[in-house]
Amino acid sequence: MMHGLVEGLPTDLELALFELSKDPLFPELSDEQKEFYTTEACLLGDQIYNQYVGPYEPIDQLLDKWECHVEIARHPNVQDGILRNSDYFPEKNLIRVYQEAIEEIEYLVRMDSRLDLWRFVAIPDVLIAREFFHHLEAVVVGNVEEHFPSMEKSVLYFFSKKHRVQQVRVIAANQFAKSLLRLPNLPSILDWYRRR
C-alpha cells in the first residue's frame, strides 16, 4: 500500500479500511471484498460530488440550494463512550455539529505537526460536508448501501438473512467531503487520530 502524504499517517485507502472495519460484517469480508467496498465507496462519493455539486460551490450555498439547515450544539453527544462529531436528522433537514467535538479536533490538529496540512481547514465545514452527503442521500441519491451487493449472514443453523455493508455510506461521505473541500486526506483521519 502507498505511504500517506505524511510519514506516520495512513493513506486514504487505509483510512477507508479503518471505516470499513467498524462494520459488523467486516470479519466476514475477504481481502478482495474489503478492497472492493473501500475503493467503490470512494468512487461513489466522488461520483455524487461530481453529479450534484458545481465546481467550487461553497458549502453554505449548497446548504441553501438543498434546503438543509445547520445547528451548532453546545452540549456533547456521547454514544458508547465516544464523543460524536455530528449528526444528520432527515425529518428536519438538519445537520447538528457538536461544539465540544470541534474543539477537540482543532486541539489535536494544533498539537501534532503531522496534521499541519489541516491547520487551515475549517473543522466545522468538514463535519457539515460529511453530514450534507447524507442529506443528499435522503433527498435525491437514495441509500448508498443499496448500490452495493448484499451479503448472506447465517442467523441460525438453517436460516440466513441478507445484510448490507453499512459503512460504505461513511466512506462515501468522507470522499465526498474531501472532494468538496479539497482536503489533503479523507476526513476519517480526524476520527482515526482521535481513536488511536
Side-chain angles (χ1 to χ4, degrees), residues 1-183:
M1 213 169 251
M2 299 175 10
H3 293 313
L5 291 173
V6 177
E7 189 66 35
L9 291 182
T11 64
D12 282 349
L13 208 51
E14 291 167 328
L15 290 168
L17 192 59
F18 162 73
E19 290 296 348
L20 187 64
S21 72
K22 299 175 191 176
D23 197 284
L25 292 175
F26 184 77
E28 299 179 31
L29 298 175
S30 69
D31 288 344
E32 293 80 22
Q33 288 172 312
K34 290 172 186 174
E35 184 177 350
F36 167 78
Y37 283 110
T38 54
T39 303
E40 292 300 313
C42 285
L43 289 172
L44 187 57
D46 268 338
Q47 179 185 358
I48 291 167
Y49 165 76
N50 289 325
Q51 188 170 353
Y52 295 103
V53 178
Y56 304 103
E57 201 166 358
I59 189 75
D60 55 339
Q61 286 181 10
L62 285 171
L63 293 167
D64 288 341
K65 174 179 165 181
W66 291 94
E67 298 177 358
C68 186
H69 311 286
V70 174
E71 169 184 289
I72 305 288
R74 302 283 174 227
H75 62 280
N77 182 6
V78 179
Q79 293 180 359
D80 298 325
I82 297 172
L83 178 65
R84 297 215 18 107
N85 298 330
S86 54
D87 289 301
Y88 173 64
F89 302 94
E91 66 282 356
K92 299 178 183 178
N93 290 347
L94 175 70
I95 294 169
R96 181 175 294 145
V97 179
Y98 300 100
Q99 184 64 38
E100 190 171 319
I102 294 169
E103 291 169 3
E104 180 183 324
I105 293 168
E106 288 174 339
Y107 175 78
L108 289 172
V109 168
R110 282 193 311 272
M111 298 311 291
D112 193 322
S113 62
R114 293 178 300 170
L115 296 174
D116 277 348
L117 294 173
W118 284 85
R119 294 227 170 140
F120 302 104
V121 173
I123 298 302
D125 286 354
V126 175
L127 305 180
I128 291 166
R130 289 198 296 196
E131 297 301 336
F132 178 71
F133 176 85
H134 299 306
H135 178 67
L136 288 178
E137 273 187 296
V139 299
V140 69
V141 174
N143 192 328
V144 164
E145 293 170 31
E146 294 174 12
H147 292 258
F148 293 86
S150 59
M151 293 181 56
E152 291 212 17
K153 184 176 179 180
S154 295
V155 179
L156 294 172
Y157 295 110
F158 301 107
F159 300 103
S160 64
K161 186 177 179 183
K162 291 194 179 231
H163 293 275
R164 295 200 184 271
V165 176
Q166 299 168 1
Q167 286 300 112
V168 293
R169 296 180 67 227
V170 176
I171 297 166
N174 277 294
Q175 183 63 48
F176 175 88
K178 178 184 178 183
S179 298
L180 175 64
L181 301 174
R182 289 153 184 69
L183 300 173

